Amino acid sequence: QVHLVESGGGSAQVQGSLSLSCAASGVSGDDCITWFRQRPGGAREGLVGRLRLGGTKYYDGSILGRFSMSRDSASAKTTVTLTMNKLWFDDSGTYYCAAKRGDCPATGSAGAFDYWGQGIQVTVSS
């Protein structure tokens, strides 16, 4: 059974930084884990995803050069981190960690992912 739990959200100032973590269990290194963001009133949008090995797949061009994702495995638990720099107002929203069996999809469509964390709030202010 896959279980995802996000932590580390909160508030940051514009141009500031925040890191989010996702503790994932029940996934293998060959399963894709991806970060999503949902702005108020909007849909969940894929940001970045990766397998344990291999390259990182960026789904949202606005985060290039600002956000990075890492993925580590220790025994049966996987920790995924989203490091967010140079935050801007429209980075505010609820961030979700999501997983699917197999490769990361070509697009960051929420419908491709079967397992979701509970979400965590990020608020960027001046």
Side-chain angles (χ1 to χ4, degrees):
Q1 184 175 358
V2 177
H3 192 52
L4 305 166
V5 180
E6 300 97 340
S7 61
S11 298
Q13 291 189 318
V14 170
Q15 293 297 312
S17 300
L18 272 178
S19 287
L20 306 180
S21 291
C22 172
S25 58
V27 296
S28 76
D30 296 326
D31 296 330
C32 176
I33 298 179
T34 291
W35 285 99
F36 283 78
R37 176 176 59 207
Q38 185 170 21
R39 297 186 176 104
R44 292 183 189 183
E45 299 174 326
L47 297 177
V48 57
R50 62 172 294 169
L51 307 176
R52 184 175 69 85
L53 298 176
T56 301
K57 186 161 289 190
Y58 286 89
Y59 296 118
D60 183 338
S62 74
I63 68 169
L64 290 174
R66 302 190 302 124
F67 291 12
S68 62
M69 178 179 179
S70 63
R71 176 171 173 168
D72 299 303
S73 297
S75 65
K77 186 156 282 189
T78 293
T79 300
V80 177
T81 301
L82 181 68
T83 302
M84 304 184 292
N85 299 311
K86 300 180 182 179
L87 286 163
W88 192 243
F89 296 112
D90 60 0
D91 291 319
S92 296
T94 303
Y95 284 69
Y96 295 89
C97 176
K100 67 174 290 293
R101 299 299 185 192
D103 289 339
C104 291
T107 63
S109 171
F113 290 80
D114 299 309
Y115 308 100
W116 292 85
Q118 80 284 0
I120 195 162
Q121 185 66 35
V122 169
T123 302
V124 183
S125 59
S126 57

